Amino acid sequence: MQYRKLGKTNFQVSEVSLGAWQIGGSWGDVSDKDAERVVHAAIESGINFIDTADVYGDGRSERFIAKVLSETKEQVFVATKAGRRLQPHTVDGYNRANLTAFVERSLKNLRREVLDLVQLHCPPTGVYYEPEVFAVLDELKQAGKILYYGVSVEKVEEALKAIEYPGLATVQIIFNIFRQRPKDLFFPLAQQRDVGILVRLPLSSGLLSGKITRHTAFAADDHRNYNRHGEQFDRGETFSGVDFDVALDAVEEIRRVLPDGISMANFALRWILDHEAVSCVIPGARNEGQVVQNVAASALPPLTAEQMAALAKLYDTKIRSLVHQRW
Ligand SMILES: NC(=O)c1ccc[n+]([C@@H]2O[C@H](COP(=O)([O-])OP(=O)(O)OC[C@H]3O[C@@H](n4cnc5c(N)ncnc54)[C@H](OP(=O)(O)O)[C@@H]3O)[C@@H](O)[C@H]2O)c1
C-alpha cells in the first residue's frame, strides 16, 4: 500500500481507502458479519482511512467502525459527515445548534473524544456562500470537538468556492472515468491550497467493475434501483448520473483496452490514482473480497499513454455531453 499526504491534515492516508456507506444501508442487505469483516479486512490490508456519515444506516456504519476499531491497535483516521439529518435539508439548518448536535452524536457513535474529520454532507449550494457556517466549524475545532473539517460536494463550482475558506482541509468529490471534469480546473487549485481530495464513486456505483449488465437485479432498498433518476437524492450519486444503457456500452469499450490479468475495477481505480492531486480513492465494499481486490490497485503500474488517451476519447465521445456541464 502506498500512502499520500491528506492536504492540510499532514496525515498520510492509504491511497486506496474505504467507503463505508455499504455497511450502513442503501445497498441491499449487507449482514452484520460482512460489515465487520469489511472493516477488519480493510485494516489488515493497510487501509488507514475510512469515510462514513452519520446518516449511513442512521449511524449503523459509524457504530460498526467504532466496534472494529475497538478490537485493533491500528491508528485509523475516520472521516464522517454532517448535515443530511436535516429535514428539510436547507441552508438555514446549517447553524451552530444543529452542527454541534450532529457532531456530538457522531462522537458517541464513533466512541471518540474528538472527530478526525467532519465533512458537510453535500449541503445546498447556498451554504458555501455563508461564511458563518465555516466559522462554526472553526469554533468546533477550537473547542476540541473536531480535528479538521472539509466538504463533500456535488458540483465542481461548489468545490472551487469551498477551497476559499482557509480552514478547509479536504474536499470529497465524484471523479472517475465517467466524471472527468474535476481534474481540469479544480485539482490544480486544490493542490495549490494544500486541500486534500477524497475521490468517491471511483467505480461509478459498481459499473466500472464491469460486472453489471442490463439483467443485473438490484434489491428494492438499493439506491441503484430507486435513485437512477434522482428520485431520492442527487442523480449524480447513482452511476455518476450517466444513463444506464450508455454507461453499459461505454464499459464494453473499456473492456477492449483492459490489459490482460487486470480486473476492470483495478484498472478504473488506477486511472484515478494516476492523478497526483488525488489523496485517496474511497471505493465502497459490501464484502471482504472487494476490499482485498481494490487494495491491489495501489501496486499496479500507471496506465500507458495509449490507455489514457483511449479513456479520454471515450469520455469525450460518449459521456461528456451527459455530465460535463451538469456537475
Ligand atoms: N454525498 C456523499 O458524500 C457520498 C455519496 C456517495 C458515496 N459516498 C462515499 O463514497 C464511497 C464510495 O462511493 P460508492 O460506494 O457510492 O460507489 P463506488 O465505490 O463507485 O461503488 C461501490 C460498489 O462497487 C462494487 N464494487 C466495489 N469493489 C468491487 C470489486 N472489487 N469488484 C466488483 N465490484 C466492486 C460494489 O457493488 P455491489 O454492491 O453490486 O457488489 C460496491 O457496492 C461510499 O461508500 C461513501 O463512503 C459519499
Side-chain angles (χ1 to χ4, degrees):
M1 176 68 77
Q2 301 294 317
Y3 297 81
R4 301 184 184 192
K5 186 171 92 77
L6 180 63
K8 295 187 189 91
T9 72
N10 282 326
F11 196 79
Q12 295 287 326
V13 291
S14 41
E15 62 182 14
V16 179
S17 286
L18 177 69
W21 186 11
Q22 280 73 1
I23 65 168
S26 313
W27 290 84
D29 185 43
V30 176
S31 70
D32 289 2
K33 193 165 161 258
D34 275 338
E36 281 190 39
R37 280 305 308 154
V38 161
V39 183
H40 269 298
I43 296 167
E44 285 157 14
S45 310
I47 287 176
N48 69 353
F49 180 92
I50 303 178
D51 175 75
T52 183
D54 56 358
V55 287
Y56 293 167
D58 198 23
R60 180 180 187 239
S61 175
E62 288 184 327
R63 290 190 294 271
F64 272 124
I65 293 166
K67 178 173 185 295
V68 173
L69 293 187
S70 75
E71 295 160 2
T72 168
K73 285 198 173 55
E74 297 300 328
Q75 223 212 329
V76 176
F77 195 97
V78 180
T80 192
K81 307 189 197 81
R84 286 278 159 172
R85 296 180 64 73
L86 292 169
Q87 282 176 340
H89 184 229
T90 59
V91 175
D92 290 352
Y94 283 78
N95 56 43
R96 180 180 291 104
N98 287 335
L99 286 172
T100 306
F102 297 151
V103 163
E104 290 295 348
R105 186 173 178 274
S106 287
L107 282 167
K108 210 164 149 200
N109 280 341
L110 283 166
R111 305 187 210 171
R112 293 268 174 119
E113 299 287 314
V114 51
L115 297 177
D116 294 330
L117 176 69
V118 171
Q119 306 158 92
L120 299 184
H121 199 166
C122 292
T125 305
V127 162
Y128 299 98
Y129 294 85
E130 299 286 333
E132 295 79 6
V133 176
F134 294 85
V136 170
L137 295 169
D138 283 323
E139 281 172 29
L140 286 164
K141 225 174 126 176
Q142 273 149 26
K145 295 288 182 186
I146 64 179
L147 280 179
Y148 298 101
Y149 63 83
V151 290
S152 181
V153 301
E154 300 288 8
K155 299 176 200 297
V156 169
E157 281 65 32
E158 294 167 344
L160 292 170
K161 178 66 187 161
I163 61 173
E164 288 183 12
Y165 292 98
L168 191 95
T170 59
V171 169
Q172 182 181 134
I173 195 162
I174 299 178
F175 177 60
N176 60 43
I177 294 169
F178 291 163
R179 285 283 284 273
Q180 302 200 11
R181 186 167 172 240
K183 69 182 165 60
D184 296 344
L185 186 58
F186 169 60
F187 279 7
L189 287 176
Q191 265 187 307
Q192 258 175 40
R193 288 173 188 251
D194 201 16
V195 171
I197 297 175
L198 309 171
V199 169
R200 75 171 181 272
L201 271 79
L203 300 174
S204 195
S205 315
L207 274 174
L208 291 170
S209 73
K211 72 176 179 187
I212 294 176
T213 71
R214 285 180 177 80
H215 308 294
T216 303
F218 298 101
D221 57 346
D222 187 323
H223 70 101
R224 294 171 293 185
N225 197 353
Y226 65 74
N227 194 55
R228 257 185 225 190
H229 306 287
E231 294 89 336
Q232 298 267 325
F233 43 83
D234 194 287
R235 183 178 174 215
E237 301 298 347
T238 304
F239 299 136
S240 310
V242 182
D243 173 79
F244 191 58
D245 287 318
V246 174
L248 288 177
D249 289 344
V251 164
E252 291 317 306
E253 287 203 23
I254 297 171
R255 220 182 287 284
R256 275 182 231 131
V257 290
L258 190 63
D260 285 345
I262 293 181
S263 71
M264 193 184 294
N266 274 186
F267 189 63
L269 295 176
R270 190 66 247 175
W271 179 87
I272 299 168
L273 293 175
D274 289 343
H275 296 84
E276 62 164 17
V278 169
S279 309
C280 66
V281 289
I282 50 167
R286 64 190 301 112
N287 57 48
E288 180 177 357
Q290 290 179 348
V291 176
V292 171
Q293 202 200 12
N294 293 338
V295 161
S298 178
L300 290 178
L303 268 62
T304 63
E306 292 75 27
Q307 289 162 345
M308 279 293 194
L311 297 178
K313 187 167 169 222
L314 172 69
Y315 179 75
D316 285 344
T317 55
K318 291 260 162 35
I319 308 290
R320 177 186 275 268
S321 65
L322 298 174
V323 299
H324 206 75
Q325 301 305 338
R326 292 185 196 280
W327 291 280

